[in-house]
């Protein structure tokens, strides 16, 4: 269970104080698939970075399975990212000179998983995201955008995280590939009971999630949905 | 894929850049190793020179050296006086004799050499002590001239002469210059302070007379046993016999007299002051004190400056390699900020990322070291020679001038007690400049390993700064760039 309590992040810009995240509170049940929509510059990515412990809030707290992130030292936050969080980026952010399987193995290497075990799991995950086995050993900079995003999702799943944070995961993909990716995330949420939070400005993508939040001027409101995906 | 494998892979990401970096590093490392090799070679030479002549003083009777000149002989009492001077660690007395072959006929000129007081040495050296040995050196033109009194320049027919053999009584197992004897077979004489009928024979003299260890020969009808055979390194030096000092004094019938004294000083720094003190203690009218080290001082000084230059150049080249690594790694860290952010976002520790960059730099340094070692093995000899020759142009001129002057004062090969190395090589001191060019710079595995270890240490220091920079990169920057 993810609990976000009155989260605030503010920056100084000259004399002005900017609050891209201003008193955001919400809860996500384990295994839910949710989305946050909003215009560019509305603070979506900032909120995501606070949830993923990439940034520290000015005030407020994020509690993951009863553990508060506020006040955790950097080392513990790194451990939290490694163990509990999986990131999927719009630009994929794979290591270009490594193969698909090596990219997926990276988080497991950082977690201290033995080589044989991480190789086997990486292959399983790549099969799960339906990457052609012939491309497992191919360098990621030689894969298509959709294939790279599949590798990125497999990498996010590597350490069986509690929460997957996807920042515009379909932003660089064509519509059809984007739909495949969101279906994939949806099935992962179902099959692995993993909580997935997708940040997007694509309303059609947001429509496919269980819960949809709107971020506007740093404040979050939940849209009432008529049906469930499940 | 491990951190090491990832680092190796990263090092070859951009092959052209890697080749360029390795080439630049190889030049810097090659230069550093060459300088280290030169430094070691010159250092060894300096040590060798210092060890051979650096701290010894030679004392001769005032006005006489070896079998030349006049004056009063040195005495064992004066040796004790010299030994009591501050900073003197030992005094070794020598007594030089001329052995004349017993079968020599009347044409050998013995008539000129015998007689009261003798014509060949200070203090009335025993001019003709007979022996059954035959000299290993033929008289030749020089021998005939040197043994003919008052006939220098005579072009008429001279009778063939037999050269005398130099016998020296020594108070320790050193030659007449104070250097340890190189005994190639047999043993030394044991106690050099007692009279004993044993002798050390030079290699060529032993060969000429078919002597081996245990063989016997006679001096003044007394039978001596060959205890050992030594190699002095020169033809003149090997035409000689060493006996204990008391034995030589007995043979010369001058029990308390010494031909020379070899005074050893405790350190090079004290040589000058001790020389003055010994001279004062013995009196200028009694003894001439000369400093063997003086003769090679210029040479050693030049080598010292070459050593210093090579050390500075080694450090500079090492620092250059370190700076190259530093700049390259800073560039790579800046270039891969996003990637570092991603690694942190997916849970990499700062030390893991830092280690990855340090290892990557070490891969580059390892490649540079291999090429650099090849460069060093090819260039170190030339670089050492260039360094030495550029530093000895003026020195050699000075040394040659000095050596030439002294050579004129002391004929070659006629100064057995003079203690001047280089005799018989175009002047006793003419060898100084040759010593400078006799430095051999060879790449030994030990020096190479030490140099490469230093390069790696500097590379680690150079790579640590950019590695620490990675810790300052915040993963949020990755998302901000989205």
């Amino acid at each position: 269970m993810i609990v976000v309590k009155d989260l605030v992040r503010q920056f100084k810009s000259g004399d002005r104080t900017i609050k891209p995240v201003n008193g955001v509170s919400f809860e996500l049940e384990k295994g839910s698939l949710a989305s946050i929509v909003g215009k560019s510059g509305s603070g979506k990515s900032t909120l995501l970075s606070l949830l993923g412990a990439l940034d520290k809030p000015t005030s407020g707290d994020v509690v993951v399975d009863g553990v508060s992130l506020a006040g955790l030292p950097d080392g513990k936050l790194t451990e939290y990212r490694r163990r509990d969080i999986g990131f999927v980026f719009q630009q994929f952010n794979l290591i270009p000179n490594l193969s698909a399987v090596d990219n997926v193995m990276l988080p497991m290497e950082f977690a201290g998983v033995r080589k044989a075990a991480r190789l086997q799991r990486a292959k399983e995950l790549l099969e799960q995201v339906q990457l052609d086995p012939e491309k497992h050993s191919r360098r990621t900079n030689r894969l298509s955008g959709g294939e790279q995003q599949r590798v990125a999702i497999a990498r996010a799943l590597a350490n069986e995280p509690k929460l997957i944070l996807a920042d515009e995961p379909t932003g660089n993909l064509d519509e059809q590939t984007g739909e495949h990716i969101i279906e994939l995330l949806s099935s992962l949420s179902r099959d692995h009971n993993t909580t997935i939070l997708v940040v997007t400005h694509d309303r059609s993508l947001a429509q496919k999630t269980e819960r949809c939040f709107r971020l506007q001027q740093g404040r979050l409101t939940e849209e009432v949905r008529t049906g469930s995906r499940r | 894929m491990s951190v090491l494998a990832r680092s190796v892979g990263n090092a070859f990401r951009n092959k052209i850049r890697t080749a360029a970096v390795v080439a630049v590093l190889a030049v810097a490392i090659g230069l550093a190793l060459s300088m280290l090799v030169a430094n070691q070679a010159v250092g060894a030479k300096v040590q060798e020179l210092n060890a051979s002549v650096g701290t010894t003083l030679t004392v001769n009777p005032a006005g006489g050296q070896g079998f030349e000149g006049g004056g009063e002989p040195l005495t064992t009492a004066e040796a004790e006086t010299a030994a009591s001077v501050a900073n003197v660690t030992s005094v070794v007395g020598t007594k030089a004799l001329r052995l004349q072959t017993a079968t020599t006929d009347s044409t050998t000129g013995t008539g000129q050499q015998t007689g009261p007081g003798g014509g060949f040495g200070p203090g009335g050296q025993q001019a003709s002590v007979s022996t059954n040995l035959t000299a290993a050196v033929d008289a030749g033109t020089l021998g005939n001239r040197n043994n003919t009194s008052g006939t220098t320049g005579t072009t008429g027919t001279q009778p063939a002469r037999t050269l005398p053999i130099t016998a020296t009584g020594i108070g320790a197992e050193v030659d007449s210059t104070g250097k340890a004897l190189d005994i190639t077979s047999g043993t030394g004489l044991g106690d050099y302070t007692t009279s004993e009928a044993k002798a050390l024979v030079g290699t060529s003299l032993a060969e000429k007379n078919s002597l081996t260890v245990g063989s016997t020969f006679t001096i003044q009808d007394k039978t001596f046993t060959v205890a050992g055979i030594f190699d002095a390194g020169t033809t003149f030096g090997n035409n000689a016999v060493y006996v204990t000092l008391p034995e030589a004094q007995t043979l010369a019938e001058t029990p308390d007299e010494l031909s020379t004294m070899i005074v050893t000083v405790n350190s090079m720094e004290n040589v000058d002051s001790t020389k003055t003190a010994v001279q004062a203690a013995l009196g200028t009218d009694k003894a001439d004190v000369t400093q063997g080290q003086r003769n090679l001082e210029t040479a050693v000084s030049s080598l010292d400056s070459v050593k210093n230059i090579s050390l500075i150049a080694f450090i500079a080249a090492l620092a250059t390699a370190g700076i190259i690594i530093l700049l390259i790694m800073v560039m790579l860290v800046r270039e891969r900020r996003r990637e570092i952010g991603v690694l942190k976002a997916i849970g990499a520790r700062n030390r893991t990322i830092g280690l990855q960059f340090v290892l990557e730099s070490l891969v580059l340094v390892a490649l540079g070291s291999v090429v650099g070692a090849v460069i060093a093995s090819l260039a170190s000899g030339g670089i050492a020679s260039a360094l030495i020759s550029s530093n000895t142009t003026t020195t050699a001129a000075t040394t040659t001038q000095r050596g030439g002057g002294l050579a004129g004062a002391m004929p070659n090969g006629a100064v057995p007690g003079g203690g001047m190395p280089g005799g018989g090589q175009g002047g006793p001191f003419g060898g100084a400049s040759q010593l400078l060019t006799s430095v051999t710079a060879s790449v030994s595995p030990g020096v190479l390993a030490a140099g490469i270890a230093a390069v790696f240490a500097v590379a680690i220091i150079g790579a640590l700064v950019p590695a620490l920079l990675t810790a300052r990169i915040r993963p949020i920057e990755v998302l901000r760039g989205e």
Side-chain angles (χ1 to χ4, degrees):
Chain A
M1 175 132 180
I2 315 292
V3 180
V4 178
K5 295 178 187 171
D6 201 19
L7 208 58
V8 176
R9 180 70 172 103
Q10 66 180 39
F11 302 101
K12 286 275 185 187
S13 176
D15 294 336
R16 289 194 311 147
T17 300
I18 301 166
K19 289 186 176 177
V21 176
N22 188 9
V24 169
S25 298
F26 66 92
E27 291 182 5
L28 281 179
E29 292 295 326
K30 188 173 175 63
S32 60
L33 175 64
S35 61
I36 299 173
V37 294
K39 293 177 182 172
S40 292
S42 61
K44 303 187 299 290
S45 294
T46 305
L47 177 58
L48 210 63
S49 65
L50 293 172
L51 296 176
L54 296 174
D55 196 8
K56 290 182 179 177
T58 309
S59 65
D61 197 4
V62 176
V63 180
V64 180
D65 283 352
V67 178
S68 166
L69 299 188
L72 280 184
D74 285 347
K76 289 285 181 189
L77 291 176
T78 301
E79 191 183 326
Y80 162 73
R81 286 197 298 270
R82 184 167 59 238
R83 195 187 56 207
D84 295 335
I85 300 291
F87 284 102
V88 179
F89 304 102
Q90 181 180 355
Q91 303 284 356
F92 323 130
N93 282 329
L94 298 169
I95 309 300
N97 66 321
L98 297 185
S99 68
V101 77
D102 283 337
N103 266 283
V104 179
M105 284 165 65
L106 269 180
M108 291 185 273
E109 182 194 322
F110 300 147
V113 179
R114 293 176 68 85
K115 189 177 179 182
R118 62 182 189 244
L119 180 63
Q120 187 184 350
R121 177 158 172 75
K123 285 181 176 174
E124 286 170 3
L125 286 170
L126 288 172
E127 282 172 17
Q128 210 172 333
V129 298
Q130 296 169 357
L131 185 74
D132 186 346
E134 286 182 2
K135 297 177 179 177
H136 288 192
S137 301
R138 192 174 290 182
R139 281 185 172 191
T140 52
N141 56 2
R142 292 180 185 169
L143 298 176
S144 70
E147 288 167 337
Q148 287 191 52
Q149 197 59 296
R150 285 168 195 274
V151 176
I153 291 168
R155 184 180 68 180
L157 289 166
N159 286 334
E160 298 181 39
K162 292 172 183 166
L163 174 64
I164 289 181
L165 300 171
D167 191 5
E168 305 277 11
T170 59
N172 270 352
L173 305 174
D174 60 64
E175 191 178 343
Q176 192 181 5
T177 311
E179 281 187 9
H180 283 147
I181 292 297
I182 206 69
E183 278 170 18
L184 181 62
L185 289 172
S186 181
S187 67
L188 289 172
S189 169
R190 265 197 317 269
D191 301 344
H192 293 264
N193 203 23
T194 306
T195 307
I196 298 178
L197 183 59
V198 180
V199 162
T200 182
H201 63 271
D202 183 353
R203 291 201 64 82
S204 63
L205 173 63
Q207 292 292 332
K208 292 170 183 161
T209 61
E210 284 174 16
R211 297 174 69 186
C212 180
F213 299 95
R214 169 178 286 278
L215 193 62
Q216 207 165 18
Q217 294 179 331
R219 294 190 179 275
L220 199 71
T221 53
E222 184 167 6
E223 293 184 349
V224 178
R225 306 293 295 273
T226 52
S228 167
R229 68 186 171 106
R230 301 202 187 208
Chain B
M1 179 174 272
S2 65
V3 179
L4 178 62
R6 207 160 49 247
S7 302
V8 173
N10 282 343
F12 292 101
R13 262 194 195 185
N14 186 332
K15 291 185 176 63
I16 294 173
R17 183 167 66 192
T18 300
V21 169
V22 167
V24 174
L25 275 175
V27 170
I29 293 169
L31 188 62
L33 293 177
S34 298
M35 288 302 167
L36 186 63
V37 169
N39 182 272
Q40 297 292 313
V42 172
K45 192 71 187 176
V46 168
Q47 245 181 356
E48 184 190 321
L49 292 178
N50 283 342
S52 62
V53 291
T55 58
T56 58
L57 302 172
T58 304
V59 183
N60 287 291
Q65 284 197 356
F67 297 106
E68 303 294 327
E72 296 302 318
L74 296 170
T75 64
T76 50
E78 284 168 329
E80 287 167 13
T81 303
S84 66
V85 171
N87 300 320
V88 170
T89 55
S90 69
V91 176
V92 177
T94 72
K95 177 68 181 174
L97 304 170
R98 274 189 158 181
L99 305 185
Q100 208 67 56
T101 305
T103 54
T104 303
D105 61 29
S106 59
T107 61
T108 56
T110 53
Q112 297 160 19
Q113 296 167 1
T114 54
F120 288 94
Q125 302 281 11
Q126 190 77 9
S128 179
V129 178
S130 65
T131 180
N132 65 345
L133 296 176
T134 305
V137 180
D138 291 331
T141 305
L142 290 173
N144 284 321
R145 270 188 213 154
N146 291 338
N147 288 287
T148 304
S149 177
T151 56
T152 305
T154 303
T155 54
T157 304
Q158 293 289 324
R161 295 177 186 279
T162 302
L163 287 185
I165 300 161
T166 302
T168 309
I170 46 176
E173 199 165 288
V174 293
D175 66 12
S176 53
T177 69
K179 281 174 66 177
L181 284 172
D182 178 17
I183 297 172
T184 55
S185 64
T187 61
L189 299 178
D191 185 359
Y192 288 79
T193 59
T194 59
S195 188
E196 200 169 356
K198 292 196 295 187
L200 298 171
V201 182
T203 49
S204 54
L205 187 65
E207 193 177 339
K208 178 78 176 180
N209 294 278
S210 304
L211 296 176
T212 57
V213 174
S215 302
T216 57
F217 64 94
T218 61
I219 302 175
Q220 288 288 74
D221 299 328
K222 183 173 183 178
T223 303
F224 283 79
T225 304
V226 177
I229 294 172
F230 66 87
D231 182 9
T234 62
T235 306
F236 179 84
N238 283 332
N239 183 41
V241 173
Y242 286 106
V243 295
T244 64
L245 178 61
E247 191 62 49
Q249 288 171 326
T250 305
L251 289 169
E253 296 173 6
T254 52
D256 287 328
E257 289 184 12
L258 299 173
S259 299
T260 62
M261 294 190 288
I262 309 298
V263 177
T264 305
V265 183
N266 58 5
S267 73
M268 276 193 75
E269 292 74 34
N270 293 326
V271 169
D272 278 335
S273 59
T274 308
K275 180 192 169 199
T276 307
V278 170
Q279 184 68 76
L282 298 177
T284 52
D285 59 332
K286 296 283 185 190
D288 287 335
V289 183
T290 54
Q291 187 178 338
Q293 183 260 348
R294 274 266 180 252
N295 311 320
L296 292 167
E297 193 177 62
T298 317
V300 171
S301 167
S302 277
L303 287 179
D304 267 336
S305 70
V306 171
K307 192 173 169 227
N308 290 338
I309 289 168
S310 59
L311 182 64
I312 291 166
F314 168 67
I315 292 168
L318 212 55
T320 304
I323 290 169
I324 291 169
I325 285 292
L326 173 73
L327 295 177
I328 291 294
M329 297 317 290
V330 165
M331 186 182 76
L332 289 179
V333 166
R334 288 180 66 85
E335 193 177 276
R336 295 191 202 149
R337 283 176 72 84
R338 188 184 190 85
E339 188 177 309
I340 292 165
V342 171
L343 290 175
K344 288 189 175 189
I346 63 175
R349 297 177 186 88
N350 285 333
R351 65 169 181 267
T352 305
I353 299 170
L355 177 65
Q356 181 181 312
F357 276 89
V358 170
L359 289 176
E360 187 174 338
S361 74
L362 293 184
V363 170
L364 295 173
V365 169
L367 291 171
S369 295
V370 170
V371 183
V374 173
I375 291 173
S377 65
L378 296 174
S380 58
I383 288 174
S385 299
L387 271 175
I388 290 168
S389 60
S390 67
N391 271 273
T392 54
T393 308
T394 51
T395 307
T398 312
T399 311
T400 306
Q401 196 176 12
R402 185 182 296 179
L406 289 166
M410 285 173 271
N412 288 347
V415 197
M420 307 301 176
Q425 294 178 10
F429 314 113
S433 59
Q434 290 170 18
L435 280 171
L436 298 177
T437 52
S438 69
V439 177
T440 309
S442 58
V443 182
S444 72
V447 173
L448 205 60
I452 289 175
V455 168
F456 270 76
V458 168
I460 288 172
I461 294 167
L464 270 180
V465 176
L468 291 173
L469 285 179
T470 62
R472 297 178 61 183
I473 295 173
R474 297 168 61 206
I476 180 65
E477 292 172 28
V478 176
L479 284 182
R480 285 214 181 119
E482 290 280 303

